[in-house]
């Protein structure tokens, strides 16, 4: 599990460098999906139920473009709000099996 986390962070760090920062707008989707897909919810009977995040990069491209524009207009301050909106979006698109 720790190696998965480290590998995920290193991969995204490299992608952000290669894309000159544009990858930073896609990272929160990947980050939230990475965490949610590895999480379990314990129901009232004590059974572990897997969480499944149903987001993808292509379905969120309009959201990404909007927040790139907002972040540029606010000189980067909008990115802090963007990160929270991505979590909201990801949780709203998560199901429990």
């Amino acid at each position: 599990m720790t190696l998965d986390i480290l590998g995920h962070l290193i991969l995204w760090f490299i992608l952000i460098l290669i894309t000159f920062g544009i990858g930073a707008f896609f990272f929160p989707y990947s980050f939230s999906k990475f965490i949610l897909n590895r999480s379990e919810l314990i129901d009232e009977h004590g059974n572990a139920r897997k969480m499944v995040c149903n987001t993808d990069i292509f379905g969120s491209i309009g959201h990404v473009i909007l927040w790139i524009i907002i972040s540029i207009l606010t000189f980067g301050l909008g990115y802090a709000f963007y990160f929270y909106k991505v979590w909201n979006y990801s949780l709203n698109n998560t199901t429990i099996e």
Side-chain angles (χ1 to χ4, degrees):
M1 183 68 163
T2 303
L3 290 177
D4 288 344
I5 295 168
L6 187 59
H8 188 257
L9 289 174
I10 290 170
L11 171 72
W12 275 101
F13 180 74
I14 292 169
L15 283 172
I16 289 170
L17 289 176
I18 290 172
T19 62
F20 299 107
I22 303 259
F25 290 96
F26 294 92
F27 171 71
Y29 290 98
S30 177
F31 180 67
S32 60
K33 188 171 185 170
F34 181 83
I35 291 173
L36 289 170
N37 285 342
R38 287 164 177 74
S39 299
E40 293 180 341
L41 182 69
I42 307 298
D43 66 11
E44 65 273 0
H45 303 294
N47 300 324
R49 300 179 66 194
K50 186 172 174 51
M51 296 175 76
V52 178
C53 183
N54 301 311
T55 61
D56 62 356
I57 296 298
F58 300 110
S60 307
I61 197 72
H63 197 244
V64 169
I65 292 170
L66 173 70
W67 281 96
I68 287 174
I69 293 168
I70 290 171
S71 293
I72 290 170
L73 291 175
T74 61
F75 301 106
L77 295 175
Y79 188 79
F81 295 97
Y82 172 67
F83 207 81
Y84 287 101
K85 286 300 286 180
V86 169
W87 270 99
N88 184 351
Y89 177 79
S90 296
L91 285 170
N92 285 336
N93 289 294
T94 298
T95 57
I96 299 172
E97 294 183 342

